[in-house]
Amino acid sequence: MKKTWMMTTVALAVAGSVPALADWTGKGEAGIAVASGNTDTKSANAKLSLGNKHGQWEELATLAGNYVRTSGVTTARRWELGLQERYTFSAHTFWYGGLRYEEDKFSGFDHQGVVSTGLGRKFIDNDTTHLSGQVGVGYKFFKTLPVGLVPADKDSKVTGVAGLDFDHKLTDTTKVYDKFSAEVASGNKFLQNEIGLAVKMSDRLALSLGYAVRHNTNPPAGFKKTDTLSTLNLVYEVK
C-alpha cells in the first residue's frame, strides 16, 4: 500500500501541469511470438511512448511490458514505467525531473525504481540526427525477493544517473537508434542499453527490430547479472 501511494504521488507531481491527452504525440508498438513442437513457447511485448511540448516545457511518458510462457510455465514477466518533465532554459540545455519504476520478479527484485533530477543537453538536433545526454542525481528504492532461507531485503540510497539517446535516419524510411541509461549507487550499478532498427511501411506504420541488454553488477543471490531481450514489433505512430 505504501509503495502504491508513493507511485501515485510522484506520478501526479510529474504530470500536474500536463495538457490534455489530445495534445500529445507518440507511438505504440507490440510483438507476439508463438512456437510449438518440441518447445511450446508464447511471448509478447508492448511499449507505449508519449510526448508533448508547450513553450519551454516538455513531458515524456513510457510504459513497457514483456511476458514469456514456456511449456505452460511463466518464465519472464516485467513491466516498466517512465515519466519525465523537462524545462528548456537555453537553445540546447534543459533541466529534468523524472521517475523510473519497474516490477520484474524474475530478476530477483520485487520492485525497484528511482526518482531523479538533473541537466540534459541536445548535442545534435536536426531533421536527420538526434543525440542528447543527461546526468543527474536520484533516490533509488528497491525490495528483493526472498530466496530459500535468505529473507527479502528493502533499501533506498542516493544514486547517480546518466543517459544517452541517439537516432539517425539512414533513408527516408529507415532509422537506427540507441538508448543507454545508467544508475550508479554504492554496492550496485544498473546499466541498460537498447539498439534497434525501424523501417516505415506507411506514414504511421513501421516494423522495429530491437535488442536490449540489462546488467546489474550485484544482483540478488542466485540470479544472473545480465538479461537480454530481442524484439520484432509492429509500430503505430500518433502524430
Side-chain angles (χ1 to χ4, degrees):
M1 180 63 71
K2 182 179 179 181
K3 177 179 65 177
T4 302
W5 276 107
M6 185 185 339
M7 288 290 299
T8 304
T9 301
V10 173
L12 289 174
V14 172
S17 60
V18 173
L21 186 61
D23 297 329
W24 289 60
T25 61
K27 61 183 179 181
E29 55 184 283
I32 298 174
V34 178
S36 61
N38 292 320
T39 302
D40 178 16
T41 300
K42 299 177 182 178
S43 65
N45 72 91
K47 185 175 183 179
L48 178 65
S49 303
L50 296 172
N52 182 74
K53 291 183 179 180
H54 49 107
Q56 292 174 279
W57 291 94
E58 181 179 9
E59 289 85 28
L60 302 170
T62 59
L63 180 64
N66 176 50
Y67 176 82
V68 179
R69 191 171 180 84
T70 303
S71 300
V73 179
T74 300
T75 55
R77 183 174 56 205
R78 178 177 75 238
W79 73 271
E80 183 175 2
L81 170 70
L83 298 171
Q84 191 171 105
E85 181 85 16
R86 294 180 178 180
Y87 179 79
T88 301
F89 55 84
S90 74
H92 299 287
T93 307
F94 58 90
W95 162 89
Y96 77 90
L99 163 74
R100 187 190 74 83
Y101 176 84
E102 71 171 50
E103 291 187 2
D104 182 2
K105 303 297 192 293
F106 293 88
S107 69
F109 291 92
D110 178 79
H111 66 269
Q112 56 179 324
V114 60
V115 181
S116 63
T117 185
L119 295 176
R121 177 78 176 177
K122 295 180 180 180
F123 302 107
I124 305 174
D125 189 16
N126 56 50
D127 293 339
T128 303
T129 306
H130 301 90
L131 174 63
S132 63
Q134 298 180 177
V135 63
V137 64
Y139 183 76
K140 187 166 188 174
F141 55 94
F142 65 88
K143 180 182 179 181
T144 63
L145 293 169
V147 179
L149 299 177
V150 180
D153 180 33
K154 185 192 314 186
D155 199 1
S156 57
K157 57 186 65 180
V158 175
T159 303
V161 295
L164 284 173
D165 195 344
F166 168 80
D167 66 74
H168 176 72
K169 275 187 177 181
L170 297 174
T171 68
D172 289 340
T173 59
T174 306
K175 180 177 72 172
V176 293
Y177 63 88
D178 194 307
K179 297 182 180 181
F180 171 79
S181 62
E183 299 167 7
V184 181
S186 61
N188 189 42
K189 299 178 182 67
F190 174 72
L191 308 174
Q192 182 171 235
N193 192 77
E194 180 182 1
I195 188 170
L197 175 72
V199 180
K200 296 184 70 172
M201 298 183 295
S202 70
D203 187 47
R204 293 185 181 272
L205 288 175
L207 279 176
S208 176
L209 177 65
Y211 181 73
V213 179
R214 296 158 55 92
H215 181 76
N216 266 302
T217 59
N218 187 25
F223 289 88
K224 295 182 179 180
K225 294 183 178 182
T226 303
D227 288 315
T228 64
L229 176 66
S230 300
T231 57
L232 177 61
N233 290 346
L234 182 65
V235 182
Y236 181 80
E237 186 172 356
V238 179
K239 300 181 179 180

